[in-house]
């Protein structure tokens, strides 16, 4: 296998934290921030990012141990004001307390409880067979065609179809929903106006508001019916909570995993010796999946609000301040990983933070791992050679990181 | 319950027995009488207006306050977010004033008021879009809601759409 070209050379970012504006979505798509993060981890482990464009400033945590500590401490930090930069620095998330990921305490346990079964290993068994079949089918189509845009034709389809199957979104609606969800927290266009993201979000909320009403009998087998039916009624789940949680599931289920799948295939393309080892059966799919999650870290950061004064490395973070924890940095922290800057598909000790940790640990972790593994195995079993047929393209976002275009030439075994 | 006045007034103290109302603060701003009602539990402004009316208190504007820790700041924010009251004239304006007041739980919405400055967030915009479709037969694109925060502008668009149909 030959590698024609590498991913577009990213510009090297300046070392000083003051020279990088983490709010700017174009920064994350344009610069290779690895030396910046290495510098920040070493010299500014608790750093205050100043206010930009009239938004509130926020604390930046970059070391693996500090990121994990925030995820695991339920008392010092809350998600109820919001859990991403944009919502928090613009004054708080209106879904606070009404969406699982933005709810803490007793209510969080109640809502998580009624969702857990669907996303458990046993709950996903039947869907897993469908996903593996779909992955084999989509890759066979690409091999038949001699290639295609892997991000669009494969990586996008698997998570989108799976989460839509779970929610019971009809087939005919899925392309439109995908178009909307892909511009809610990221964009293909660096100049996409703020209003477009708001409008996309509003149409998705409207869609699920109508779907929830349509499923009001609660008799269906899909997750929306489950939420509006007895399970939701037992805990007094409001219509607003149903809609906000559907929004969260379609975003979490559809957007992050496609970044991991595309980024994983690109990493194998750039490390042909590891691809060869995988094909020879020397690397377990499970290990490769974890390394892809670490390497791609599609959720670049998450954020919390301090519920009291918290001291980290001697620095006081006052009650009410916003703290951001950066998975893209913690997952490259040499304090936690051997050869952290190397992609190593056979990595054994891999405590990455790509799925978070603690009470808000990714609800869809089994589903994400299942989807990535299904694509990797179908790809391994059918593909002989593959190479880049054009430039991979990164999305513009300060939250979601990865590529949405991966043109490949592919030939079968 | 305590009635507190920042400007002198002569209103009877008849609200003693209402268990969920902790305090009513009445203040005069530019000749308008504004009431801030501090409640124990969320209550509809339309209901509170009736309660105050029973005590012969008929403020020009009424706000519900649930958490008094930042009452002073809240009062400033509330007043800053309100446009000068302009009464609705067309049926569509009257319809929207009632709809917004209900969705946002804001008293006496005027045609110069802005949906987002009154606290309108995404989900409330969804409910507004659904209500307008139900009552007026027009599903407004999200863009129209986003670009036309001012009530008068939105009313004009609804009337224009209806005329075009």
């Amino acid at each position: 296998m030959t590698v024609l070209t590498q991913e577009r050379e990213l510009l090297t970012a300046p070392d000083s934290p003051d020279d990088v504006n983490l709010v700017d979505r174009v920064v994350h798509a344009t610069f290779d921030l690895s030396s910046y993060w290495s510098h920040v981890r070493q010299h500014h482990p608790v750093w205050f990012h100043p206010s930009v464009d009239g938004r509130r400033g926020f604390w930046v945590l970059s070391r693996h141990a500090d990121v994990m500590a925030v995820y695991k401490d339920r008392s010092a930090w809350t998600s109820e004001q919001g859990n991403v930069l944009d919502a928090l620095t613009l004054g708080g998330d209106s879904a606070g307390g009404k969406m699982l990921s933005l709810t803490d305490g007793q209510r969080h346990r109640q809502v998580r409880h009624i969702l857990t079964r669907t996303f458990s290993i046993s709950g996903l068994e039947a869907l897993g067979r469908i996903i593996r079949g779909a992955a084999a089918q989509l890759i066979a189509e690409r091999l038949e065609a001699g290639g295609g845009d892997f991000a669009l034709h494969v990586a996008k389809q698997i998570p989108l179809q799976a989460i839509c199957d779970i929610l019971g979104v009809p087939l005919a609606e899925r392309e439109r929903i995908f178009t909307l969800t892909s511009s809610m927290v990221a964009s293909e266009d660096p100049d996409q106006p703020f209003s477009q993201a708001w409008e996309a979000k509003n149409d998705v909320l409207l869609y699920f508001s109508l779907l929830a009403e349509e499923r009001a009998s609660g008799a269906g087998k899909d997750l929306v019916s489950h939420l509006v039916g007895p399970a939701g009624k037992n805990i007094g789940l409001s219509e607003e909570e149903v809609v906000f949680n559907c929004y969260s599931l379609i975003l979490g289920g559809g957007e992050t995993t496609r970044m991991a799948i595309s980024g994983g295939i690109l990493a194998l393309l750039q490390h042909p010796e590891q691809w060869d080892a995988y094909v020879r059966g020397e690397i377990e799919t499970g290990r490769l999946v974890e390394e892809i999650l670490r390497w791609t870290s599609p959720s670049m950061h998450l954020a919390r609000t301090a519920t009291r004064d918290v001291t980290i490395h001697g620095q006081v973070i006052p009650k009410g301040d916003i703290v951001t924890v950066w998975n893209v940095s913690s997952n490259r922290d040499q304090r936690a990983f051997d050869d952290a800057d190397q992609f190593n598909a056979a990595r054994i000790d891999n405590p990455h933070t790509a799925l978070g940790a603690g009470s808000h640990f990714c609800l869809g972790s089994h589903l994400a791992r299942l989807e990535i593994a299904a694509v990797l195995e179908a790809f391994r079993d059918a593909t002989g050679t593959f190479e880049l047929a054009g430039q991979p393209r990164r999305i513009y976002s300060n939250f979601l990181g990865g590529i949405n275009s991966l043109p490949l030439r592919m030939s079968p075994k | 319950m305590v009635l507190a006045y920042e400007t002198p007034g002569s209103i009877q103290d008849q609200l003693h027995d209402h268990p969920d109302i902790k305090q009513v603060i009445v203040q005069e701003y530019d000749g308008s009488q504004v009431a801030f009602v501090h409640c124990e539990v969320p209550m509809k402004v339309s209901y509170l207006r009736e309660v105050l009316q029973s005590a012969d208190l008929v403020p020009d504007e009424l706000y519900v306050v649930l958490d008094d820790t930042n009452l002073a700041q809240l009062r400033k924010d509330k007043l800053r977010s309100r446009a000068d009251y302009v009464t609705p004239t067309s049926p569509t304006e009257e319809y929207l004033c009632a709809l917004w007041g209900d969705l946002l739980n804001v008293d006496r919405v005027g045609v110069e008021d802005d949906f987002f400055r009154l606290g309108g967030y995404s989900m409330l915009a969804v409910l507004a879009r659904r209500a307008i479709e139900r009552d007026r037969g027009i599903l407004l694109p999200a863009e129209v809601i986003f670009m036309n925060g001012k009530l008068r502008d939105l009313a004009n668009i609804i009337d224009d759409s209806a005329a075009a149909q």
Side-chain angles (χ1 to χ4, degrees), chain A residues 41-322:
Chain A
R41 280 194 301 271
Q42 186 61 35
H43 301 288
H44 311 276
V46 188
W47 178 59
F48 191 76
H49 190 293
S51 162
V52 182
D53 301 335
R55 295 162 170 236
R56 289 178 63 192
F58 52 91
W59 296 93
V60 173
L61 298 183
S62 49
R63 289 188 188 173
H64 185 274
D66 298 332
V67 169
M68 284 299 274
V70 168
Y71 283 140
K72 290 192 167 174
D73 188 336
R74 296 178 194 196
S75 70
W77 314 102
T78 176
S79 298
E80 297 220 334
Q81 318 296 321
N83 68 351
V84 294
L85 256 185
D86 276 354
L88 280 167
T89 59
L90 289 169
D93 199 313
S94 65
K98 299 172 220 160
M99 183 190 284
L100 180 64
S101 57
L102 305 182
T103 305
D104 290 319
Q106 172 69 11
R107 188 59 172 167
H108 178 260
R109 281 188 290 279
Q110 285 179 331
V111 178
R112 182 135 182 151
H113 180 72
I114 64 168
L115 288 165
T116 300
R117 161 94 191 114
T118 303
F119 293 96
S120 67
I121 290 178
S122 58
L124 292 168
E125 212 178 301
L127 184 61
R129 282 190 294 275
I130 296 172
I131 289 171
R132 282 187 286 274
Q137 169 77 26
L138 289 170
I139 285 167
E141 285 171 14
R142 283 307 105 210
L143 288 166
E144 178 81 13
D149 190 335
F150 199 84
L152 197 65
H153 295 121
V154 182
K156 159 193 152 181
Q157 288 297 331
I158 295 293
L160 172 73
Q161 303 301 351
I163 196 66
C164 286
D165 277 356
I166 288 172
L167 288 165
V169 173
L171 284 172
E173 306 280 359
R174 295 183 181 184
E175 271 305 312
R176 187 174 78 88
I177 294 296
F178 173 80
T179 306
L180 292 171
T181 52
S182 61
S183 55
M184 296 195 308
V185 295
S187 66
E188 300 183 5
D189 171 6
D191 299 319
Q192 175 182 298
F194 172 76
S195 60
Q196 202 174 321
W198 190 91
E199 288 154 24
K201 288 176 193 172
N202 210 253
D203 277 335
V204 169
L205 292 172
L206 176 68
Y207 176 76
F208 283 110
S209 164
L210 294 166
L211 195 65
E213 190 175 87
E214 188 189 305
R215 304 278 159 86
S217 75
K221 295 261 181 265
D222 57 277
L223 190 56
V224 176
S225 297
H226 180 63
L227 293 176
V228 298
K233 289 204 175 79
N234 280 343
I235 60 163
L237 205 65
S238 69
E239 187 199 329
E240 218 173 342
E241 286 177 290
V242 171
V243 174
F244 277 135
N245 279 302
C246 290
Y247 168 96
S248 175
L249 291 169
I250 197 109
L251 186 62
E255 286 295 283
T256 48
T257 315
R258 74 181 171 110
M259 297 299 151
I261 293 172
S262 298
I265 295 295
L266 180 63
L268 289 170
L269 190 67
Q270 291 166 336
H271 300 87
E273 73 297 343
Q274 298 192 42
W275 162 252
D276 291 341
Y278 181 53
V279 171
R280 288 196 302 271
E282 294 164 15
I283 293 167
E284 288 170 34
T285 302
R287 288 223 174 106
L288 176 55
V289 168
E290 296 312 306
E291 182 64 349
I292 286 172
L293 287 169
R294 181 186 80 92
W295 191 248
T296 58
S297 300
S299 296
M300 293 193 290
H301 78 268
L302 280 170
R304 301 283 189 267
T305 302
T307 59
R308 51 177 161 83
D309 291 358
V310 184
T311 305
I312 304 176
H313 301 304
Q315 172 69 53
V316 176
I317 296 182
K319 177 184 176 180
D321 270 19
I322 301 165

Side-chain angles (χ1 to χ4, degrees), chain B residues 50-104:
Chain B
E50 285 172 25
V51 172
L52 294 190
Q53 203 153 8
S54 71
D56 290 334
L57 181 58
V58 187
D60 296 312
E61 287 175 41
L62 186 158
Y63 296 96
V64 181
V65 179
L66 287 173
D67 179 4
D68 70 343
T69 51
N70 57 352
L71 186 57
Q73 183 60 39
L74 193 77
R75 283 157 65 183
K76 267 188 250 160
D77 290 348
K78 284 286 182 197
L79 290 166
R80 205 172 32 228
S81 68
R82 292 308 292 268
D84 287 342
Y85 179 72
V86 179
T87 183
T89 50
S90 73
T92 304
E93 286 175 354
E94 279 166 17
Y95 165 74
L96 281 182
C97 285
L99 176 66
W100 287 17
D102 195 39
L103 285 177
L104 299 160

Side-chain angles (χ1 to χ4, degrees), chain A residues 399-413:
Chain A
F399 167 60
L400 194 65
I403 49 178
N404 67 344
S405 179
L406 181 63
L408 291 185
R409 258 187 295 279
M410 299 160 61
S411 58
K413 271 189 168 156

